[in-house]
Amino acid sequence: MAEPGVFEVIYSTRAMRRLKPDPIPEETLKKIVDAGTRAPSGGNTQEWAFILVRDPDLKRFLRDYYWNTWQQLRAKRMIPAGNLPPAQQRMLNAAADLAAHLDEVPVILLACAHQEYTPLAAMNNPRANTIVIHGSIFPAVQNILLACRALGIGATLTTIHCFFEEALKQKLGIPDTMEVAAMIPMGYPQGKFGPVTRRPVEEVIHWDRWGQQKG
Ligand SMILES: Cc1cc2nc3c(=O)[nH]c(=O)nc-3n(C[C@H](O)[C@H](O)[C@H](O)COP(=O)(O)O)c2cc1C
């Protein structure tokens, strides 16, 4: 089957949270990560690593921490609990389902980045460090999401792991020098890919100066 064109992929790469347990072939996983590594990074340093978690015990470990964190956030009302517009409620229900069933997805990808941007280390500029570190991993993460979509695999960028990152790093033997920037559950989708809806482009473009929204 022909792969969809780039704009079709971009306009239909939604967060896909309800996934089938069917395994994803290793060659497909390599192709997805390889697409990730075609992304830019500051100074082309490529100080990244991508862990593909398939081991059932490790997936259960991730699920238990993720689900506990989800419930804690909910108890503290950091995740809203009802009275939401229908679209937001649907998203929240799907996110809760993903949290509860995380161990049932075939693969959980962890996108790891060096905690310090080595060329800037001597400058002691935390702001530049943060921008360049995250700016050097999220293009790869987006390439991975797009590659998944192009290959018919559902995926969601998640970040709840940052509440248990130390335990996660210890369990998986991730070096102290690295951080886990994103956790991406992946699997063949139960539903269909659909169009992404976003704010109208006219609302977010500023021509030449802030606030000048007519070209
Ligand atoms: C930085 C970031 C963090 C996110 N964290 C989570 C998360 O922890 N759990 C989750 O289910 N979705 C998470 N998402 C997914 C967003 O909720 C999703 O991309 C957004 O609602 C748009 O969804 P759509 O593409 O299906 O329209 C995250 C997305 C981003 C960019």
Side-chain angles (χ1 to χ4, degrees):
M1 209 168 65
E3 283 168 15
V6 68
F7 280 95
E8 191 185 340
V9 169
I10 290 171
Y11 280 79
S12 61
T13 299
R14 288 199 291 134
M16 302 295 278
R17 298 186 175 93
R18 294 197 170 99
L19 306 169
K20 295 178 184 165
D22 313 27
I24 302 174
E26 211 159 292
E27 276 312 303
T28 306
L29 292 171
K30 276 167 85 172
K31 189 168 177 171
I32 289 166
V33 174
D34 196 47
T37 67
R38 304 298 122 178
S41 58
N44 201 20
T45 45
Q46 304 175 57
E47 290 185 300
W48 49 39
F50 303 91
I51 304 178
L52 293 162
V53 181
R54 294 181 297 180
D55 180 281
D57 288 339
L58 292 176
K59 285 193 292 182
R60 258 192 305 277
F61 166 87
L62 290 172
R63 181 265 176 204
D64 288 349
Y65 268 93
Y66 193 102
W67 180 232
N68 283 342
T69 309
W70 179 272
Q71 287 173 311
Q72 281 171 27
L73 294 174
R74 195 134 202 188
K76 290 179 189 155
R77 304 248 176 251
M78 289 165 77
I79 292 174
N83 284 334
L84 294 170
Q88 226 180 320
Q89 188 60 56
R90 276 197 301 276
M91 182 188 79
L92 206 63
N93 293 346
D97 263 12
L98 176 69
H101 299 282
L102 192 61
D103 54 322
E104 293 165 30
V105 308
V107 184
I108 302 171
L109 183 148
L110 303 175
C112 304
H114 208 271
Q115 273 181 339
E116 204 165 60
Y117 178 58
T118 317
L120 280 181
M123 285 178 63
N124 195 22
N125 183 333
R127 175 87 180 124
N129 211 32
T130 304
I131 287 177
V132 183
I133 288 165
H134 295 125
S136 294
I137 190 68
F138 281 103
V141 166
Q142 181 65 7
N143 269 11
I144 285 168
L145 296 175
L146 295 172
C148 282
R149 166 65 192 97
L151 296 169
I153 292 164
T156 300
L157 196 174
T158 77
T159 45
I160 282 179
H161 69 278
C162 62
F163 292 94
F164 56 89
E165 193 176 356
E166 279 318 307
L168 165 63
K169 283 172 65 173
Q170 210 169 16
K171 181 82 176 172
L172 274 66
I174 299 170
D176 280 346
T177 49
M178 302 296 283
E179 65 170 41
V180 182
M183 188 173 113
I184 307 177
M186 290 164 34
Y188 294 100
Q190 287 182 18
K192 286 193 168 53
F193 292 101
V196 288
T197 41
R198 297 291 187 258
R199 292 167 62 193
V201 69
E202 294 78 14
E203 201 179 295
V204 297
I205 292 183
H206 302 245
W207 298 95
D208 293 319
R209 289 175 199 287
W210 187 271
Q212 219 159 274
Q213 296 200 276
K214 293 222 181 326

